[in-house]
Amino acid sequence: MNTTISKIHPKEIKKVTLGAGAISINEIIAVSRYDAEVLFSQDYRERVNLSRSVIEKFLDEERVIYGVTTGFGSNVTETISTEDAEVLQKNIIRSHAVSVGEPLEKEVVRAIQFMILVNLGNGFSGVKLATLELLRSLLNHQIIPFAPGEGSVAYLAIEAHMALVLMGEGKAWYNGELIPGNEALEKAGLQPVSLGCKEGLSLINGSTSVTAFASLALYNSIQAAKTADIAGAMSLEALKGTIKAFDPRIHSVKRHEEQAITARNIVKMLERSEIVEKYKDYRVQDALSLRCIPQAHGAVKKVLKDAEFTICNEMNSTSDNPIIIPEDQGDALMVGNFDGTFVGIYADTMAIAMANLAKVSERRLDRLVNYHVSELPNFLVAKPGLNNGYMIPQYTAAGLLNEIRVLVHPATVDNTPTSANQEDVVSFAYFAAKKAYQISKKLEYILGLELMAAVQALDFHQPLKPSPVSQKVYELIRSVVPTVEEDRYFYPDIQFITNLIHEGEILNTVELIIGKLDW
């Protein structure tokens, strides 16, 4: 599968049609973050209807099928009558809605809802089209189910809270107000559904929440890795680093494509810099946080590329149990496709990669504010002592980096059996993906702090001119964040710059000048 993320920014994607081909990371972001409308193709509808007709046939035949005519988990030995099939589906939603803690934020809930639509629309789950239409309407009407985000081993509880709203139960936000689920549906002109056999199980089963979190983390981390090249280039420039460390001959003798790509990005961004030209022979070699940008950033990019391939495969797969095969007379296969280990392991790996990107960014930030090595005014303020300048933002980066290091511990190596040991191996992929998402946002802050300091450091090189790329980034940041002459409240500055990273504005500014950064 070609997993290359689309060059179209998610903001520009206004509609996403399911069933028209493989879903991309950018389409998930378009729906979850930027409220793109979700549509169903005719193929999508036909697949769902065919699968539903097969499961209803199975029910009429009273076949023994897990979660349809049997109980769940270790209750698989309990037989469920045809008359109780619908009650069973309601009960699984109500009994499984037991996650706790603070509710998941809007974009996470929407990403999970979207992934449920993708998963069940593949035509191997036996759900009714009307149920998926209602779930689609929740997305398109901005109904955000209340879903506490803690206590999931990989699936079930989070999704169950969301599924309650489809039944007219639970709670949801509508027009900014948290109200009972039935009221949210009524205000949007929608009606709850009565879940039929297999539907409750399918709505909460699978790797949908894992894949949703991982997709958000992946998008953030790829954007952060590209922005890290920009921040690294500007820090190198401000710290009088030598461009000679980025000579392509160096990187041609180490067989990692991403290393050479990163070096090429740095050279392109620093072309025509008067500062770089003046100091290219200033030192024999720089500190590792500058000299090894290609090696450190390149290794992170390789991990993210591998993660992208795996996550894209998962999000276009069917992760349910049982799997309904419509061909011939039909079949129901009791399987383990709900397992999230593929994505979980890569989420843990992405966390390690992002931690490496964060640590090198924090070290560059420290060099920028530390006059012992920067050859710039102490903490980048003209009158240190009376003013603290950017002393404490480096503390913030150190604190964030500490939090990242704690979160980097892999979740997927752990195991706590559930369901009376019927589920004796548990992936814990949910927290692996969730913490990767948390780390991606902390990384954005650290990069924002580095950029804030790099821009301030460039002020002290005047009248020498930075590269045209650095100048444009400088102007973008300075449009809101003025030069620090004396201490002020820095929180708004940090938020502004970090938001520029999160929304891709800094990356877009650079790419308008030199074209797409190599990846």
Side-chain angles (χ1 to χ4, degrees):
M1 177 184 293
N2 181 2
T3 61
T4 302
I5 289 181
S6 168
K7 292 182 179 180
I8 300 174
H9 194 282
K11 286 181 184 178
E12 300 172 17
I13 301 172
K14 302 304 180 184
K15 295 182 180 181
V16 175
T17 301
L18 298 184
I23 294 300
S24 71
I25 296 291
N26 275 20
E27 287 174 314
I28 294 177
I29 302 301
V31 172
S32 61
R33 187 171 296 175
Y34 300 112
D35 301 335
E37 182 182 4
V38 179
L39 304 172
F40 292 163
S41 70
Q42 185 60 31
D43 285 346
Y44 182 100
R45 298 173 188 277
E46 290 175 359
R47 289 199 304 262
V48 170
N49 285 332
L50 176 59
S51 178
R52 183 62 195 172
S53 68
V54 172
I55 198 72
E56 289 178 350
K57 173 176 171 286
F58 292 165
L59 190 63
D60 291 340
E61 296 171 350
E62 297 185 352
R63 289 201 195 186
V64 178
I65 300 173
Y66 174 76
V68 177
T69 55
T70 76
F72 304 110
S74 68
N75 282 334
V76 67
T77 57
E78 302 295 329
T79 301
I80 306 299
S81 68
T82 303
E83 293 75 20
D84 288 334
E86 290 193 8
V87 175
L88 178 69
Q89 301 307 310
K90 293 178 182 178
N91 285 348
I92 191 175
I93 300 300
R94 291 166 178 160
S95 66
H96 284 52
V98 292
S99 57
V100 297
E102 293 299 312
L104 295 173
E105 58 195 273
K106 174 186 171 181
E107 75 170 13
V108 175
V109 173
R110 288 180 61 84
I112 296 172
Q113 290 176 300
F114 181 73
M115 284 312 310
I116 292 171
L117 287 177
V118 174
N119 181 39
L120 302 187
N122 287 328
F124 300 105
S125 294
V127 297
K128 292 182 295 192
L129 182 60
T131 302
L132 299 184
E133 288 282 14
L134 180 58
L135 180 52
R136 182 173 74 94
S137 294
L138 260 61
L139 281 168
N140 292 341
H141 285 82
Q142 298 293 314
I143 297 174
I144 313 299
F146 171 87
E150 298 178 26
S152 174
V153 296
Y155 53 97
L156 300 177
I158 309 296
E159 294 87 344
H161 277 281
M162 298 182 189
L164 283 172
V165 179
L166 298 175
M167 297 163 52
E169 301 178 18
K171 295 185 292 184
W173 279 272
Y174 185 66
N175 290 334
E177 183 183 7
L178 182 61
I179 55 179
N182 63 326
E183 291 184 24
L185 293 178
E186 183 179 351
K187 289 188 175 188
L190 303 172
Q191 295 292 324
V193 293
S194 179
L195 298 179
C197 64
K198 179 71 163 61
E199 292 196 284
L201 176 60
S202 290
L203 284 167
I204 67 174
N205 210 11
S207 62
T208 49
S209 59
V210 173
T211 308
F213 260 125
S215 298
L216 293 167
L218 177 66
Y219 180 83
N220 289 350
S221 60
I222 289 176
Q223 192 161 253
K226 293 177 180 179
T227 306
D229 284 359
I230 299 167
M234 293 179 69
S235 293
L236 179 83
E237 190 175 26
L239 289 166
K240 306 176 184 176
T242 176
I243 198 67
K244 291 183 176 181
F246 303 86
D247 188 315
R249 293 172 297 178
I250 299 168
H251 306 289
S252 69
V253 299
K254 193 163 186 181
R255 300 182 63 166
H256 296 298
E257 178 188 20
E258 295 78 15
Q259 175 178 325
I261 283 171
T262 302
R264 191 157 62 243
N265 284 342
I266 301 299
V267 171
K268 284 169 65 176
M269 286 187 283
L270 294 180
E271 286 176 351
R272 292 186 287 152
S273 169
E274 293 180 0
I275 302 169
V276 168
E277 180 61 28
K278 178 177 180 178
Y279 294 107
K280 65 182 179 181
D281 295 313
Y282 188 66
R283 297 188 188 94
V284 174
Q285 64 180 22
D286 294 305
L288 294 181
S289 59
L290 301 176
R291 190 187 349 147
C292 289
I293 288 174
Q295 292 83 356
H297 290 200
V300 171
K301 291 171 186 174
K302 179 62 168 68
V303 168
L304 297 181
K305 285 181 180 179
D306 292 343
E308 180 189 355
F309 181 85
T310 298
I311 292 168
C312 286
N313 274 342
E314 184 74 24
M315 71 192 201
N316 285 289
S317 301
T318 296
S319 59
D320 198 358
N321 177 43
I323 298 294
I324 306 304
I325 305 297
E327 286 77 15
D328 300 325
Q329 296 300 310
D331 206 350
L333 306 177
M334 274 57 86
V335 296
N337 274 11
F338 51 82
D339 183 83
T341 302
F342 274 101
V343 173
I345 288 175
Y346 270 100
D348 276 337
T349 309
M350 282 197 297
I352 294 171
M354 287 187 280
N356 276 272
L357 205 57
K359 80 176 184 183
V360 72
S361 176
E362 184 277 330
R363 285 294 81 199
R364 291 193 297 259
L365 168 60
D366 180 75
R367 297 192 77 80
L368 286 164
V369 302
N370 183 349
Y371 76 98
H372 294 290
V373 293
S374 71
E375 302 178 12
L376 295 165
N378 203 9
F379 304 116
L380 298 176
V381 67
K383 296 179 181 178
L386 178 63
N387 294 290
N388 295 295
Y390 282 153
M391 178 194 297
I392 306 303
Q394 187 269 329
Y395 288 37
T396 303
L400 289 166
L401 184 57
N402 175 258
E403 293 172 15
I404 288 173
R405 284 170 174 156
V406 172
L407 289 171
V408 159
H409 177 80
T412 54
V413 298
D414 205 349
N415 189 52
T416 303
T418 57
S419 194
N421 221 41
Q422 173 72 1
E423 297 165 358
D424 56 345
V425 177
V426 177
S427 72
F428 288 109
Y430 174 82
F431 188 59
K434 180 183 177 183
K435 65 188 180 68
Y437 177 65
Q438 294 171 339
I439 289 171
S440 74
K441 294 196 287 186
K442 295 177 190 293
L443 172 59
E444 289 173 341
Y445 275 117
I446 293 174
L447 291 171
L449 291 164
E450 181 186 357
L451 280 167
M452 184 174 73
V455 165
Q456 179 77 4
L458 289 175
D459 282 328
F460 295 102
H461 284 281
Q462 295 175 0
L464 290 176
K465 294 180 180 179
S467 75
V469 167
S470 296
Q471 182 62 33
K472 282 296 183 183
V473 175
Y474 177 95
E475 290 169 2
L476 177 63
I477 291 173
R478 283 284 179 257
S479 67
V480 170
V481 179
T483 297
V484 179
E485 303 289 351
E486 56 185 25
D487 287 346
R488 63 170 185 265
Y489 182 39
F490 292 129
Y491 176 81
D493 299 348
I494 298 168
Q495 287 296 124
F496 172 73
I497 299 170
T498 302
N499 190 61
L500 291 177
I501 296 172
H502 188 70
E503 293 297 319
E505 295 298 328
I506 287 176
L507 180 59
N508 182 60
T509 296
V510 170
E511 292 185 333
L512 285 174
I513 302 172
I514 61 172
K516 294 290 182 181
L517 287 180
D518 291 330
W519 173 250

